[in-house]
Amino acid sequence: MRVVEAFQESFGAEPQGVWHAPGRVNLIGEHTDYNDGFVLPFAVPWGVTAAVSSREDDLVRLRSLQAPGPAVTVEDPAQAEGWTRYVIGVLWALREAGHPVRGADIVIDGDVPRGAGLSSSAALEVAVGLALDELYGLGLSRMETALAAQRAENDFVGMPCGIMDQAASALGEEGKALFLDCRTLGTRTIPFDLAAHGLQLLIVNTGVHHELADGQYARRRRDCESAAARLGVDALRDVTDLAEALARLSGDERRRVQHVVTENHRVEAVVGLLRAGAVGEIGALLNASHLSLRDQFEVSCPELDVAVESAIRGGARGARMTGGGFGGSAIALVADDRVEAVRDAVLLAYAERGWVPPEVYPATPAAGARRLA
Ligand code: GLA
């Protein structure tokens, strides 16, 4: 493994272990996690591999094979910059929670496609979290590791994300989607066998990341929280009578609530269809999710809309943006014999607009975080 060779080269010793954590695709349930709602992501075959040893002092020495240059030494967490914040943030979160975590030597290798919105940051956090859990004998559950990773991102990196990405990375299973109740943190794996149904789930990586995206995420979260407060509920998960709630709201809050409440219903409907073996029938729900994210939650962008519309025109059974929005990837559910037609339709639509062609490739549900060596 090249991450082991790089570790030996950087630190002159064998790593104590090697851990891997994947990125994720969200099948459905977007912007519901921080509303105590439901999500249905799965782990993808790409992720972050970390070769790690513990240390007897509090130093962290870090190197990434995706970043040029030798290992950097971080003595004070406040000095961490760029990608190293995700790693140092996990150490910080574990220490904040009272765990006896000291320093570490870490080399990272990642293959999550760039800019794809497939949660390379969650993969990095969870790989490091799992390594520290084992090396320092913390005895954390997978969900506790995911929560520490989320805490790192929320309170150290400063991105107010929900729990979905870290949970998918920590708890995903091969061939399964992960149903997660973001209030109780209860999970259930749902069989998602595309090949058995002659289907593929294509990722269309737009390659774009619109500026202001991070600020918009926080704004959507605030819209949801203020709407919940106005409705007198703890979270939008608790809205049971949508028509009555909408009658009491206006403007942005009204649209946000419309999306979150209907999206939770769509997740439950998709789970029902998958459990009934009707994988091919979920397409309409994917389409409805996209329209809701575009028109009610307002987190799509032209590149995502064109990817979704052209995929459907090319014969996809359904398509939607996946992840936080404003760029990243769309997904399309496509019968095996339509894959070429869908890819051609998407590439043509981009070419007609003079846009950089997106990457289009299939994703299958892969195993979640694990020790490799
Ligand atoms: C990002 C966040 C997740 C989730 C999605 C939207 O990926 O990290 O927690 O909120 O956006 O569903």
Side-chain angles (χ1 to χ4, degrees):
M1 253 186 290
R2 67 178 195 173
V3 74
V4 172
E5 285 158 26
F7 189 99
Q8 287 161 335
E9 185 190 297
S10 298
F11 304 126
E14 288 273 318
Q16 284 173 289
V18 180
W19 288 264
H20 176 85
R24 64 95 186 95
V25 154
N26 188 18
L27 187 56
I28 196 160
E30 218 66 83
H31 290 277
T32 47
D33 61 354
Y34 54 82
N35 289 299
D36 277 4
F38 306 127
V39 294
L40 190 64
F42 62 84
V44 291
W46 312 286
V48 169
T49 304
V52 188
S53 288
S54 57
R55 292 179 60 91
E56 276 160 16
D57 57 22
D58 293 322
L59 289 185
V60 182
R61 294 192 296 175
L62 277 170
R63 178 178 164 197
S64 162
L65 299 188
Q66 279 67 52
V72 295
T73 301
V74 181
E75 289 179 41
D76 172 4
Q79 294 168 344
E81 285 176 3
W83 67 273
T84 70
R85 290 172 306 149
Y86 296 94
V87 175
I88 302 298
V90 173
L91 274 116
W92 172 86
L94 291 170
R95 288 176 185 157
E96 284 288 299
H99 296 295
V101 174
R102 303 208 63 188
D105 289 335
I106 304 175
V107 176
I108 299 296
D109 191 9
D111 64 355
V112 181
R114 264 171 197 276
L118 302 181
S119 297
S120 53
S121 51
L124 176 54
E125 294 153 5
V126 171
V128 169
L130 202 61
L132 296 172
D133 171 46
E134 284 196 37
L135 291 175
Y136 284 102
L138 308 182
L140 299 179
S141 69
R142 287 306 171 102
M143 188 58 83
E144 285 168 336
T145 303
L147 286 164
Q150 184 200 14
R151 171 106 202 263
E153 190 143 346
N154 288 172
D155 298 339
F156 193 83
V157 177
M159 157 64 181
C161 64
I163 187 62
M164 170 170 73
D165 305 344
Q166 291 79 10
S169 180
L171 289 144
E173 286 183 24
E174 190 176 349
K176 311 253 171 67
L178 182 76
F179 174 72
L180 170 64
D181 178 332
C182 299
R183 169 167 283 166
T184 65
L185 297 182
T187 61
R188 199 163 55 166
T189 53
I190 311 289
F192 187 47
D193 188 351
L194 291 155
H197 294 84
L199 292 165
Q200 295 188 28
L201 195 82
L202 297 183
I203 293 177
V204 180
N205 177 1
T206 70
V208 304
H209 175 76
H210 288 288
E211 292 196 26
L212 296 174
D214 302 340
Q216 291 290 342
Y217 185 92
R219 272 179 60 180
R220 293 300 178 282
R221 236 192 126 137
R222 281 201 302 274
D223 289 347
C224 291
E225 284 160 7
S226 65
R230 200 178 304 283
L231 294 169
V233 291
D234 286 342
L236 294 184
R237 150 73 169 272
D238 300 308
V239 174
T240 45
D241 185 338
L242 178 59
E244 186 260 352
L246 294 180
R248 291 166 58 193
L249 298 168
S250 61
D252 285 351
E253 286 182 0
R254 189 173 198 278
R255 286 191 290 276
R256 309 304 181 237
V257 170
Q258 163 93 34
H259 168 71
V260 172
V261 175
T262 59
E263 185 80 349
N264 278 329
H265 290 307
R266 285 186 287 271
V267 175
E268 293 187 288
V270 168
V271 168
L273 289 170
L274 292 184
R275 286 168 64 86
V279 182
E281 306 302 315
I282 69 172
L285 291 156
L286 302 182
N287 294 342
S289 172
H290 186 77
L291 294 180
S292 180
L293 287 157
R294 186 189 73 183
D295 300 335
Q296 311 296 336
F297 215 71
E298 299 176 287
V299 290
S300 190
C301 63
E303 292 86 352
L304 287 167
D305 293 339
V306 167
V308 166
E309 285 155 23
S310 58
I312 293 169
R313 232 178 300 119
R317 301 198 65 128
R320 60 182 290 275
M321 54 159 277
T322 187
F326 305 106
S329 295
I331 53 173
L333 184 71
V334 185
D336 287 333
D337 61 2
R338 289 293 181 101
V339 167
E340 285 315 310
V342 167
R343 179 182 281 119
D344 290 349
V346 172
L347 293 176
L348 178 64
Y350 267 61
E352 281 171 354
R353 289 164 178 81
W355 293 347
V356 176
E359 287 184 78
V360 183
Y361 42 87
T364 47
R370 60 202 179 276
R371 186 171 187 156
L372 299 182

